[in-house]
Amino acid sequence: MYESYWQLSTRPFEDAADQRLYYPSEGHQGALLKLRYAIENRRSGALLVGAPGLGKTLLIRTLARQLPAKEFPFVQLLFPQLAPSELVAYITEELTGVQPLGTPTDRYLRRLQGYLAEIAREGKHLVLVFEEAHLLRESSNLETIRLLMNFEHQAVPAMTVLLVGQPSLLPALRRLPELEERLDAKCLLHRLNIEETISYIQHRLAVAGAAQPIFE
């Protein structure tokens, strides 16, 4: 109803990761550049942390859109809270399409290694994104991710693992320094200041088709 009253083409403040609504604040752009650097230089890992509602998912989708899809395929995992063996099976299935039928973990790992070597020979570099990575607080899961970072092709990391989550992830990483030191880019999103908040509102209204000022 309010769209027609304010002459808007869409709702400007919906909680959805619509890439058109991405607001390039200084903090978000800084994080975007650091993550791009890590991926384009084929680093083994990177980290994006921020409180709920700060636009982490939208930033990752913007990152994926900016990178050439043929060179940097993105795979986003939305259910990371699994046992280590289940996590390996889930990742392998997502990447290769192989259905988990009780296959031992070592076979999944070999199949995953073969897949990564194959795409590396094609000049591709996988970006494996763990959404809600704060759910990976168990050290066994984080250790599994660290081991996945060991996959290489011709002495270059075969993929970049990108951990995206809430600040509760940070203490867990500090308890596993072997993983933390593998994260070449670490980005922490902060809340917008008053000037950025004003610009953010104006940006969203403009994308939604506002032809006249609505807020003073």
Side-chain angles (χ1 to χ4, degrees), residues 128-152:
L128 186 59
V129 182
F130 285 89
E131 295 265 13
E132 306 294 341
H134 51 277
L135 299 177
L136 291 163
R137 289 190 291 267
E138 293 293 333
S139 58
S140 57
N141 282 331
L142 292 175
E143 176 65 13
T144 299
I145 292 176
R146 185 188 72 83
L147 294 175
L148 290 176
M149 291 181 181
N150 290 334
F151 283 129
E152 294 184 346

Side-chain angles (χ1 to χ4, degrees), residues 158-199:
M159 62 179 169
T160 297
V161 172
L162 178 52
L163 301 178
V164 181
Q166 298 178 18
S168 59
L169 175 61
L170 297 176
L173 289 174
R174 286 193 288 269
R175 292 193 295 270
L176 193 64
E178 298 88 349
L179 172 59
E180 186 177 22
E181 68 183 12
R182 301 287 298 276
L183 303 173
D184 291 274
K186 300 175 184 176
C187 309
L188 178 60
L189 294 179
H190 298 282
R191 300 185 186 278
L192 303 180
N193 59 34
I194 184 62
E195 291 81 10
E196 289 175 324
T197 302
I198 293 171
S199 297

Side-chain angles (χ1 to χ4, degrees), residues 78-149:
L78 303 178
F79 306 103
Q81 199 173 18
L82 300 169
S85 59
E86 295 173 336
L87 185 62
V88 171
Y90 177 59
I91 293 171
T92 305
E93 181 189 3
E94 286 293 303
L95 294 176
T96 67
V98 175
Q99 297 294 323
L101 297 173
T103 304
T105 301
D106 61 334
R107 293 186 182 179
Y108 275 117
L109 289 173
R110 285 197 294 270
R111 190 179 297 274
L112 180 59
Q113 185 176 21
Y115 168 82
L116 292 172
E118 179 182 348
I119 66 170
R121 287 192 292 268
E122 297 172 355
K124 299 177 181 178
H125 181 77
L126 176 69
V127 182
L128 186 59
V129 182
F130 285 89
E131 295 265 13
E132 306 294 341
H134 51 277
L135 299 177
L136 291 163
R137 289 190 291 267
E138 293 293 333
S139 58
S140 57
N141 282 331
L142 292 175
E143 176 65 13
T144 299
I145 292 176
R146 185 188 72 83
L147 294 175
L148 290 176
M149 291 181 181

Side-chain angles (χ1 to χ4, degrees), residues 56-69:
K56 298 185 295 296
T57 298
L58 188 53
L59 190 149
I60 294 302
R61 291 188 180 181
T62 301
L63 173 66
R65 186 181 59 185
Q66 289 186 359
L67 293 168

